[in-house]
C-alpha cells in the first residue's frame, strides 16, 4: 500500500498504490476482470451458507457496542469513533460521485478487497521477543539517511521481529508488529529478509509509542501509509470477518486523492495529486448513507459487514491506490503455520466479488478535519 515517493525540504512522503496480484491459490473458474494499469488485482465471492447465516446473525452491531481494532488505541481514537450522526461536507455529494466514478472506471468496475496481497501481515509479540535492527534501504535514492531512522527516536533500531515473520505478498511488503505489553507498534514498508544473512531491511516505516493513549497516527514523517495513519487499526481483520462484525473505521485507498497540500485530520501528510475540487482528501472520513436499507442491495456477507461498518464508523482515506479498495489483515502468518490461508475459507471464491452490488454511489463525505481535537 504505501510507497515512499519524495523527500523535499526534509519532508518525507509515503504513497501507496493498492495493487494486488492474485496468487495461484486464487485461481478460479470465474473469469477475472481485465486489469487496468496500477489496478488492484484481488480476488471474494460466494460464501458458504454457514458463513452467510453467521454474517446475518452477528453483523448488526448494537448501537452502544464499543469500537475495537487489532490494536488497543485510546478509547476516543478516530478509528473507533462513530460518524453515523456527523455533519456532511458542503461538497459531500460531489466527493461521493468522484469515488463511485473511480470504482466504475478501474478494474472492471469493482472495488478491491485485498485479501491475498497488498495488505499487511500482523504480529503480536512480547517484550521477550528478540530485538533486531532493521536495515534502512535507500530505495528512493535520497543519498543520505533521514534523521530518526537510527538517531533520535531510532525507529529502525531494536525491533522485535518474530523469527518466523513474513511480509505481506506484493511489492509493498507491509508488516506490522504489535507489543501490547510495551505499548508499541512498528509498521514497515517493503520489509524483506536477506536470505544470506537472515537480517531484515525496509524502505520506510516507523514506531508508535504509548499506543493505548494514542489516536492512531505515526509521528511525522514516519509510518507505512502516505497519510501518516497507523495502518493496522483500519484493516479488516480475519477474526472480525469470522465473527461477522467490523467495529471500526476502515482504511481506504482511492484513485487520485486531493493534492498533497490539501489533506484532512487525522492525516499528517499526503501523497495526493488531483486538483479536482471533488477529489477526497487523504485523512478525510467517508461514510455510507446511514439511512440506507441495506437489505435492498443483496450484498455478499462480507460486503454487508463492510456496509454496516461504513454506515456507523465509515472509511478513512488513507492512501492513493490503483483502484478504490480496502485493506485486510494478511493470512500469510496463519498459512505459514498451518498450510491454509484463512481467507480461502472465509471468502470461498474470488475476492473481486466481495463488493458485488455495493452502493458506492451512496457515499457521503464529512467536513475537512472532522473530529480534530480543539487543543
Amino acid at each position: 500500500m504505501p510507497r515512499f515517493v519524495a523527500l523535499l525540504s526534509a519532508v518525507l512522503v509515503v504513497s501507496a498504490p493498492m495493487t494486488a496480484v492474485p496468487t495461484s491459490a486464487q485461481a478460479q473458474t470465474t473469469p477475472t476482470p481485465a486489469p487496468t494499469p496500477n489496478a488492484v488485482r484481488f480476488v471474494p465471492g460466494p460464501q458458504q451458507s454457514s458463513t452467510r447465516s453467521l454474517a446475518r446473525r452477528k453483523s448488526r452491531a448494537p448501537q452502544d457496542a464499543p469500537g475495537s481494532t487489532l490494536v488497543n488505541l485510546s478509547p476516543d481514537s478516530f478509528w473507533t469513533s462513530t460518524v453515523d450522526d456527523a455533519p456532511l461536507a458542503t461538497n459531500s455529494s460531489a466527493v461521493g460521485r468522484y469515488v463511485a466514478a473511480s470504482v466504475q472506471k478501474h478494474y472492471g468496475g469493482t472495488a478491491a478487497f485485498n485479501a491475498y496481497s497488498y495488505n499487511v501481515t500482523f504480529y503480536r509479540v512480547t517484550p521477550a521477543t528478540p530485538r533486531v535492527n532493521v536495515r534502512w534501504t535507500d530505495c528512493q535514492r535520497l543519498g543520505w539517511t533521514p534523521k530518526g531512522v537510527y538517531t533520535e527516536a531510532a525507529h529502525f533500531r531494536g525491533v522485535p521481529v518474530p523469527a518466523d515473520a513474513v511480509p505481506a505478498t506484493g511489492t509493498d511488503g507491509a508488516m506490522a508488529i504489535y507489543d501490547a505489553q510495551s505499548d508499541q507498534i512498528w509498521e514497515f514498508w517493503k520489509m524483506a529478509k536477506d536470505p544470506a544473512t537472515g537480517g531484515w531491511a525496509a524502505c520506510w516505516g516507523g514506531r508508535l509509542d504509548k499506543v493505548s493513549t494514542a489516536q492512531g497516527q505515526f509521528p511525522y514523517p514516519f509510518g507505512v501509509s502516505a497519510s501518516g495513519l497507523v495502518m493496522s487499526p483500519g484493516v479488516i481483520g480475519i477474526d472480525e470477518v469470522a465473527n461477522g462484525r467490523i467495529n471500526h473505521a476502515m482504511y481506504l485507498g482511492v484513485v487520485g486523492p486531493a493534492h498533497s497540500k490539501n489533506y484532512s485530520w487525522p492525516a499528517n501528510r499526503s501523497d495526493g495529486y488531483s486538483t479536482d475540487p471533488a477529489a477526497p482528501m487523504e485523512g478525510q472520513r467517508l461514510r455510507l448513507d446511514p439511512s440506507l436499507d441495506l437489505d435492498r442491495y443483496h450484498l455478499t456477507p462480507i460486503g454487508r459487514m463492510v456496509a454496516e461498518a461504513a454506515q456507523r464508523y465509515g472509511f478513512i482515506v488513507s492512501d492513493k491506490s490503483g483502484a478504490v479498495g480496502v485493506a485486510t489483515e494478511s493470512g500469510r502468518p496463519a498459512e505459514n503455520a498451518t498450510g491454509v490461508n484463512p481467507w480461502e475459507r472465509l471468502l470461498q471464491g474470488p475476492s473481486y466479488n466481495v463488493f458485488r452490488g455495493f452502493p458506492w454511489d451512496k457515499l457521503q463525505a464529512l467536513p475537512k478535519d472532522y473530529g480534530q481535537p480543539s487543543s
Side-chain angles (χ1 to χ4, degrees), residues 1 118-122 168 174-176 187 231-232 235 328-331:
M1 315 187 107
Y118 292 90
N119 43 16
V120 61
T121 54
F122 182 82
M175 181 189 293
E187 290 184 347
M231 183 180 182
S232 298
V235 302
T328 70
E329 175 191 4
S330 171

Side-chain angles (χ1 to χ4, degrees), residues 125-375:
V125 299
T126 71
T129 304
R131 306 275 174 138
V132 301
N133 293 334
V134 174
R135 181 172 61 86
W136 176 70
T137 60
D138 189 9
C139 69
Q140 298 297 310
R141 300 180 182 178
L142 301 177
W144 52 281
T145 304
K147 289 192 301 183
V149 172
Y150 298 118
T151 60
E152 300 177 348
H155 291 261
F156 281 48
R157 288 189 182 277
V159 183
V161 185
D164 59 350
V166 290
T169 300
T171 55
D172 287 336
M175 181 189 293
I177 302 164
Y178 177 47
D179 186 340
Q181 293 183 52
S182 69
D183 210 15
Q184 296 173 302
I185 187 168
W186 293 256
E187 290 184 347
F188 292 98
W189 176 62
K190 289 188 177 294
M191 187 74 151
K193 192 171 189 177
D194 186 329
T197 66
W200 286 95
C203 183
W204 199 238
R207 185 191 70 246
L208 177 64
D209 300 326
K210 299 180 180 179
V211 173
S212 62
T213 59
Q215 280 284 310
Q217 305 106 320
F218 278 104
Y220 177 88
F222 291 92
V224 76
S225 71
S227 57
L229 301 182
V230 181
M231 183 180 182
S232 298
V235 302
I236 296 173
I238 292 167
D239 286 345
E240 291 173 336
V241 172
N243 292 328
R245 183 176 297 161
I246 302 166
N247 286 338
H248 58 80
M250 292 162 287
Y251 185 108
L252 187 71
V254 301
V255 181
H259 192 277
S260 59
K261 294 180 180 179
N262 186 24
Y263 58 89
S264 172
W265 186 90
N268 59 28
R269 60 184 186 268
S270 169
D271 67 344
Y273 56 86
S274 177
T275 57
D276 189 323
M281 297 170 281
E282 291 192 10
Q284 188 167 20
R285 301 196 69 153
L286 309 178
R287 75 180 182 203
L288 200 57
D289 184 349
S291 69
L292 286 184
D293 178 4
L294 298 179
D295 289 335
R296 295 176 49 204
Y297 293 93
H298 307 292
L299 302 172
T300 66
I302 297 178
R304 177 69 180 237
M305 293 178 211
V306 173
E308 291 181 353
Q311 287 184 310
R312 183 155 173 76
Y313 299 99
F315 300 102
I316 300 179
V317 179
S318 302
D319 232 321
K320 72 180 181 184
S321 59
V324 175
V326 298
T328 70
E329 175 191 4
S330 171
R332 285 198 75 193
E335 185 176 15
N336 280 359
T338 67
V340 178
N341 189 315
W343 285 114
E344 295 175 16
R345 172 178 56 84
L346 293 169
L347 296 178
Q348 291 294 317
S351 62
Y352 56 73
N353 275 342
V354 160
F355 287 123
R356 185 183 67 237
F358 196 91
W360 292 104
D361 60 335
K362 304 300 182 183
L363 280 182
Q364 299 173 331
L366 275 57
K368 181 177 182 178
D369 298 330
Y370 174 78
Q372 183 175 18
S374 56
S375 57

Side-chain angles (χ1 to χ4, degrees), residues 41-118:
R41 271 218 205 155
F42 47 119
V43 178
Q47 266 70 8
Q48 292 179 327
S49 58
S50 60
T51 307
R52 184 179 300 276
S53 60
L54 177 69
R56 288 177 176 169
R57 187 168 66 249
K58 292 187 175 181
S59 64
R60 298 177 187 272
Q63 291 302 297
D64 59 350
S68 59
T69 74
L70 292 174
V71 180
N72 297 324
L73 294 165
S74 171
D76 64 350
S77 168
F78 54 84
W79 282 116
T80 52
S81 63
T82 59
V83 295
D84 47 342
D85 60 352
L88 298 180
T90 55
N91 67 339
S92 173
S93 296
V95 173
R97 289 192 298 269
Y98 183 99
V99 177
S102 295
V103 172
Q104 291 301 315
K105 291 177 183 177
H106 296 85
Y107 196 55
T110 188
F113 188 88
N114 281 333
Y116 295 106
S117 56
Y118 292 90

